[in-house]
Amino acid sequence: MLKPTQCVHIGAVHDTVTHGANSPIFTSTATGYLDGGGIVYPRYFNTPNQRAVVEKMAALEHGEDGVIFGSGMAAISTTLFALLKSGDHAVFQSDLYGGTFRLVHTDLERFGIDFTLVDGTIAGDIERAVKPNTRMIYIETPSNPLLRIVDIREVAALARSKGILTVIDNTFASPINQNPIDLGIDIVIHSGTKYLGGHSDLCCGTLVSSKELTARVRASATHFGGTLDPHTCYLLERSLKTLALRVSKQNENAMEVARYLAGHPTVKAVYYPGLENDPGHAVARRQMSGFGGMVAFEIRGDRAASERFQRGLSLIKPAVSLGGVESMICSPARTSHSRLSERDRASIGIRDELLRLSVGIEAPQDLMADMEQAFGSV
């Protein structure tokens, strides 16, 4: 079964009352237990609406099982604390989503977990950072916000040779463009708030892995309580039905927009793995079926010039988050990575003039015309 078909059909709950096309919403938090089947309870991540999303995501990511969370950070934090303990060491890619970066720096050491941050694009750096007590390698590709590409197969092979678990944040790619489990990764995480939800109105996260690893994470998740309510699960399942169509269009639009920006005199740098001169292009071609809907670029000028450009836009919305059907733009230094120190931002290449563009499903000609008139204010 191909992905567009999986998006529509996998995981759907049969409506035994009206035989409707959509999964019913199961709102009850009190369910019977005497007739077998165990206890069904939202905090146990086993309600019909939760399982519907998990089955769809497991099929799309080619995994065995999964967990649906109340946010992407709930998925990330639960995974880390479920699989790492005091005395363990983990290797993290240095250019991570700002929330993950802060979690690593703020909370891991408090629980006695050691870590090293390295350039994830260089497998040798990861290998040199491995210690006898290393239990996890965590990567993000394409990375947020600079869309750096990590060779997933290379990292997975390194980790397997040393008996180390691997975790990837696959949010920017989505399961339509990239399937890390096929390349040897153990655990795949998504901020479902982005492409999976796709309409800028849901907050959720997902994990997909083997049955054994999923069970370990779920056991801790029931204690941490980062569950997702049935209405949001229903809306997420509905949104996933169009995921393949949305991402395909966003791939096409982002390529056109990236080429436009690369040739614009007001732009000094463009970061998009679909461009042939991008440092990660060759690896991205090997491990991705599409290059995604995210484009980052730097304007010739300072922070004020970047703000003038954003204020000059009329169609593209300056806003946080990404992955929606509408195009959005933001300054990572002021949004996703604002809580990092200026020094930490500089160390991973996030400058004040950097802008992150989430390309939607609009006509690309309209998006480029909007940016062209906004460049006049710079």
Side-chain angles (χ1 to χ4, degrees):
M1 190 182 293
L2 298 178
K3 287 190 176 181
T5 308
Q6 290 176 323
C7 285
V8 175
H9 291 287
I10 294 293
V13 181
H14 181 56
D15 178 357
T16 59
V17 178
T18 68
H19 306 287
N22 296 323
S23 297
I25 303 175
F26 294 84
T27 60
S28 180
T29 57
T31 58
Y33 71 95
L34 292 177
D35 296 325
I39 298 173
V40 175
Y41 189 59
R43 187 168 56 81
Y44 295 169
F45 301 90
N46 62 357
T47 67
N49 294 115
Q50 291 169 331
R51 294 304 305 169
V53 173
V54 164
E55 288 179 24
K56 200 180 293 288
M57 284 301 300
L60 291 172
E61 280 290 13
H62 305 165
E64 295 177 347
D65 199 0
V67 185
I68 177 77
F69 293 90
S71 69
M73 284 307 300
I76 293 168
S77 59
T78 303
T79 300
L80 295 184
F81 290 116
L83 301 176
L84 295 172
K85 65 182 186 305
S86 178
D88 287 347
H89 172 261
V91 179
F92 290 87
Q93 180 179 326
S94 56
D95 51 326
L96 296 167
Y97 163 61
T100 309
F101 191 95
R102 285 284 297 172
L103 169 67
V104 170
H105 278 270
T106 303
D107 290 319
L108 290 194
E109 286 186 347
R110 293 196 304 116
F111 290 90
I113 301 169
D114 186 22
F115 66 89
T116 304
L117 288 102
V118 300
D119 183 346
T121 63
I122 303 173
D125 284 359
I126 295 177
E127 186 168 16
R128 283 186 289 273
V130 170
K131 301 179 180 182
N133 61 333
T134 300
R135 299 292 178 262
M136 180 184 291
I137 296 173
Y138 184 108
I139 61 175
E140 180 181 303
T141 181
S143 68
N144 182 357
L146 289 167
L147 297 134
R148 292 185 175 127
I149 300 298
V150 178
D151 191 321
I152 298 172
R153 193 182 296 277
E154 192 173 47
V155 171
L158 165 66
R160 288 281 171 91
S161 71
K162 298 179 181 294
I164 300 171
L165 286 175
T166 46
V167 180
I168 187 171
D169 184 334
N170 201 34
T171 299
F172 268 27
S174 88
I176 304 303
N177 288 328
Q178 184 169 271
N179 292 125
I181 289 174
D182 292 348
L183 303 174
I185 293 293
D186 295 306
I187 296 172
V188 178
I189 289 173
H190 288 271
S191 172
T193 310
K194 281 60 173 192
Y195 285 101
L196 306 186
H199 295 78
S200 305
D201 58 1
L202 302 179
C203 185
C204 52
T206 67
L207 171 148
V208 174
S209 186
S210 65
K211 288 185 180 296
E212 187 268 331
L213 286 173
T214 298
R216 289 172 61 185
V217 174
R218 188 186 294 115
S220 290
T222 59
H223 300 150
F224 299 158
T227 189
L228 196 65
D229 74 271
H231 296 89
T232 305
C233 289
Y234 169 82
L235 292 172
L236 179 57
E237 185 197 350
R238 177 214 59 183
S239 295
L240 285 169
K241 292 180 180 181
T242 61
L243 178 64
L245 297 178
R246 289 186 280 107
V247 169
S248 177
K249 179 59 176 173
Q250 286 163 320
N251 288 344
E252 295 174 10
N253 285 359
M255 181 65 80
E256 286 198 48
V257 167
R259 286 173 175 158
Y260 157 76
L261 290 169
H264 202 284
T266 314
V267 176
K268 66 178 179 181
V270 178
Y271 305 92
Y272 185 67
L275 296 175
E276 292 185 356
N277 63 348
D278 186 272
H281 178 71
V283 175
R285 280 182 63 89
R286 289 200 302 269
Q287 65 190 27
M288 301 181 75
S289 57
F291 297 112
M294 300 301 300
V295 181
F297 63 99
E298 294 176 4
I299 286 180
R300 296 187 187 278
D302 54 11
R303 180 170 179 161
S306 137
E307 183 169 327
R308 287 198 301 274
F309 171 76
Q310 293 178 79
R311 291 187 181 279
L313 294 165
S314 59
L315 187 63
I316 300 170
K317 185 176 183 61
V320 297
S321 201
L322 58 100
V325 293
E326 60 284 298
S327 294
M328 294 179 285
I329 195 167
C330 72
S331 163
R334 297 181 63 183
T335 57
S336 62
H337 292 70
S338 62
R339 297 182 66 188
L340 274 64
S341 68
E342 187 174 348
R343 178 179 177 180
D344 284 339
R345 287 198 298 271
S347 71
I348 56 178
I350 298 176
R351 291 176 277 274
D352 286 345
E353 62 269 29
L354 176 72
L355 293 173
R356 187 190 72 186
L357 174 63
S358 173
V359 182
I361 64 171
E362 305 96 335
Q365 298 88 342
D366 291 330
L367 298 176
M368 291 183 286
D370 189 32
M371 286 188 282
E372 188 64 34
Q373 60 86 23
F375 278 127
S377 61
V378 177

